[in-house]
Every structure is written in C-alpha cells, then in structure tokens.
Amino acid sequence: MKVKKMIDDNSNVFIEALEKNDVNLIKKIPKAEFHNHSALGCDRKLLTKYGVHIPEFEEINSIEEMDIFSKKYVSKFTKTEEGFKFLIENTVISAINDGIVILETSIDFRFFKFYNNIEQGLVFLKKLIQKYQDKISLRYDIGLSRKSYNMQFEKLIIELIDSRMFSGIDIYGDEAYNDLSKFKNIYKYAKNMEMKLKAHVGEFGDTKNIINTIKYLDLNVVQHGINIAYSKEDMIYAKERGIVFNVCPTSNIVLKRAKSFNEHPIRFMYDMGLKITINTDDLLIFNSTLSDEYLKLYSSKAFNAKELNEIRIKSLEY
C-alpha cells in the first residue's frame, strides 16, 4: 500500500510538472533509462567544471558524421584509462542528477584494452555500483561496435559474460555494417546466461532489418527500432514477442530519422501497444536529458501528461 501511494504521489507531481513546464521538478521524479552509452552519457554541464567544453554541433546527417564530431571532442578521454573511467562515472552522476533510479548503460568492450586482465576493469565497475547504490540501480551492458568487433574478441566477450557483472549485451553503430553472423555465438551464449539481448536496429535500417535481427539474435530489446512503425504487421509481431523498444526522440530528430516530436514514430508504436521507453542515447552529444525528453514530447503534444506518466511507470517495471 505504501509503495502504491508513493507511485500515486509521484504521478501527480510528474503530471503537474509537465503541465507547468517545470523541468527541474521533473528531475526529482523517479525515472528509468535503458538506452545509454557510458562514454557519451554525461551532461556537458559536469564537464565544464573540468574545463571541457563541447560545442553545439552543426547539421549532422549520418552516424559517420556524428562519429567524426565525437572523435574530435570526446576521443581524448577514451584514449586513456582514466579518461574512460571519468566519462563512465560522470554518466552515472548525470543520471542521478536527472532523477534516474534505474540506469542500463553500455560499456564498450574496448574499455578493457587498458588492462592485462579483465578483473582490473571489473573492480572499477563494481566499485561504481557500490558507491552509488543508495541512489541508483546501475546495470551494465556489454557494448559491441558493428564496425570494430570481430571474432578475435570472442574470448574476451565470453570472459565478460562469465563475470556476471553485465546484465545485457548490445550491438550498436552504423547499420550499414550489418554482418550479424559474427555476433551469433556470443548472443546464444549470453542468452544461456540469461542476459538481456539488445541491438541497435531500425534507426536507419528498414522494418525488415528489425524483424530479421530480432529473429536471428533472439532479441528481447530493440534500441531505436522506430522504422517498425511503417509496418502494422511487424508491429503486431513485435508486440506478440513482447519486444521492448528503447526510443531516443531527440537523437532521432537530430540525425533526421524523424521530422519532429509530434510526428515521431513513437506515437504510432505506443498506439499499437508496443512496449516503449524514452531515453537519451548520447547525452553528451545531443544535450538533452531524460527529463527534457519527457517535456519535449509533452510540449509538442505528441503525448499528454497521463500517457507520459504511464510510460514512465511501466519503464520502472521493465
């Protein structure tokens, strides 16, 4: 009963915050995020405290152009162990500051290139969970780049899976590199270890790519997947399988995968009864917090306040 009352109280405040356009109040309400890249997930405001300034980017039309921007301003961190750890921890702090109480964030497998054995890297990730356990439920995905991953890393990924430090596994990057065969064994192994199986697909690729990837890798979760909205038949299939779609509206709009918030495919996905969550993708790049995402969807009239609160609550249950 106490839990239900707390949810009801938060619901009233969340709805009121949306209606009053009060992003600071939205930040105080518990939320969950499931589509977040740890090396790019921190708030720019935190980095300015360390003298790091990320400019607003000009028009970006592709993942490759975004990668160029990222390499120019962020790669100086990911080139060193301490820089990588700095970004990961600030991603967690940014989430806490935004009222996120459940965070699934991907750790790129290349983070472990800094260590002679994976245990050294795992110690840091474990300490991070312990350090912030009173404020956030922190869960890690193993991040696999479509372009950078090849079979020589399979032994490493199996070690990471066996560590039990990771609750999920996720393929990301340019969908043009769509050779899924190199991931097949890893995903089968991860499934046997009861991990959450994710993949970025359907942001640039069509709905056929989404369904093929779901079937081939036996996915539980699709990152983005917005182009499924163009096929009612495929949406029905995904709904029957219980697939969760972790959607990132600002990211999709900036990369011109959607025209605007009130025309975003997430509305069609919601109306079809698909399981959806709202996420930031790369906060450091797109400069839009999860609270901002909710408020933008409300202000654009893509959703009303009660619908967004429903999405928020269901996200906390996934």
Side-chain angles (χ1 to χ4, degrees):
M1 184 64 71
K2 290 182 179 180
V3 173
K4 184 178 185 303
K5 186 178 187 302
M6 182 182 70
I7 291 175
D8 289 342
D9 288 346
N10 282 327
S11 293
N12 292 335
V13 175
F14 182 75
I15 290 171
E16 179 184 355
L18 288 173
E19 293 173 344
K20 291 184 175 181
N21 196 38
D22 190 340
V23 71
N24 290 322
L25 185 55
I26 297 173
K27 290 178 183 291
K28 297 178 181 179
I29 307 302
K31 297 176 289 294
E33 173 156 23
F34 304 102
H35 188 154
N36 175 286
H37 303 269
S38 62
L40 295 169
C42 56
D43 195 327
R44 296 180 182 195
K45 297 183 185 68
L46 286 179
L47 296 190
T48 58
K49 296 179 181 179
Y50 301 93
V52 179
H53 299 277
I54 308 294
E56 291 289 340
F57 47 69
E58 296 179 0
E59 189 171 306
I60 291 179
N61 297 296
S62 68
I63 292 292
E64 287 186 351
E65 289 181 15
M66 190 185 84
D67 286 344
I68 291 170
F69 180 89
S70 177
K71 286 177 181 177
K72 183 175 181 179
Y73 296 103
V74 183
S75 63
K76 60 184 177 182
F77 292 101
T78 56
K79 286 179 180 178
T80 68
E81 174 194 354
E82 290 305 313
F84 217 131
K85 289 162 68 174
F86 171 79
L87 291 178
I88 294 172
E89 182 160 11
N90 275 286
T91 288
V92 178
I93 294 170
S94 297
I96 293 170
N97 291 345
D98 196 29
I100 294 170
V101 295
I102 300 172
L103 176 66
E104 290 182 1
T105 184
S106 66
I107 309 294
D108 191 286
F109 76 97
R110 288 167 292 184
F111 169 65
F112 292 90
K113 70 184 179 182
F114 299 112
Y115 304 102
N116 294 324
N117 62 74
I118 67 166
E119 291 302 323
Q120 295 170 301
L122 294 175
V123 166
F124 165 72
L125 295 179
K126 184 176 182 180
K127 285 183 177 178
L128 213 54
I129 291 174
Q130 294 172 337
K131 183 176 181 179
Y132 297 105
Q133 62 185 348
D134 294 336
K135 297 179 179 179
I136 194 167
S137 175
L138 181 57
R139 309 167 188 171
Y140 301 120
D141 295 330
I142 302 172
L144 305 177
S145 165
R146 273 185 166 86
K147 187 175 181 180
S148 301
Y149 179 80
N150 57 58
M151 299 299 289
Q152 76 181 69
F153 298 112
E154 188 168 300
K155 183 177 181 292
L156 167 63
I157 305 305
I158 289 175
E159 286 185 60
L160 294 177
I161 293 172
D162 286 341
S163 74
R164 297 286 187 173
M165 182 64 69
F166 300 89
S167 61
I169 188 167
D170 184 15
I171 301 170
Y172 70 91
D174 193 338
E175 290 182 51
Y177 296 89
N178 201 34
D179 178 14
L180 298 177
S181 61
K182 61 185 178 182
F183 302 108
K184 182 69 171 178
N185 290 338
I186 288 296
Y187 267 65
K188 184 176 180 180
Y189 191 79
K191 180 182 179 180
N192 290 336
M193 297 293 277
E194 299 182 340
M195 294 175 70
K196 188 177 288 187
L197 307 183
K198 302 180 178 181
H200 284 56
V201 64
E203 178 186 19
F204 289 85
D206 60 21
T207 185
K208 181 180 178 181
N209 288 340
I210 299 171
I211 299 303
N212 287 344
T213 306
I214 289 172
K215 291 179 178 179
Y216 188 75
L217 296 177
D218 203 11
L219 299 182
N220 314 111
V221 178
V222 170
Q223 307 284 59
H224 295 298
I226 57 174
N227 285 332
I228 201 168
Y230 297 102
S231 171
K232 183 176 180 179
E233 179 183 355
D234 290 337
M235 282 194 285
I236 291 172
Y237 172 81
K239 179 180 178 180
E240 290 175 346
R241 281 196 58 146
I243 302 296
V244 177
F245 290 82
N246 295 331
V247 184
C248 310
T250 292
S251 170
N252 300 148
I253 293 168
V254 169
L255 291 175
K256 296 179 174 54
R257 311 323 301 159
K259 292 181 179 179
S260 63
F261 285 95
N262 63 354
E263 296 177 272
H264 195 286
I266 192 174
R267 179 73 234 190
F268 298 103
M269 298 163 74
Y270 174 86
D271 288 339
M272 279 296 295
L274 294 178
K275 293 180 179 180
I276 58 171
T277 69
I278 298 167
N279 307 270
T280 63
D281 199 359
D282 300 311
L283 175 56
L284 188 58
I285 301 294
F286 300 112
N287 200 24
S288 182
T289 67
L290 185 56
S291 295
D292 292 330
E293 294 294 295
Y294 276 103
L295 189 55
K296 289 174 182 177
L297 288 167
Y298 174 75
S299 299
S300 66
K301 299 182 179 180
F303 293 93
N304 64 43
K306 290 184 178 179
E307 289 170 335
L308 288 168
N309 186 56
E310 176 196 340
I311 293 171
R312 178 187 69 86
I313 290 174
K314 286 185 177 180
S315 296
L316 290 166
E317 297 170 350
Y318 290 147

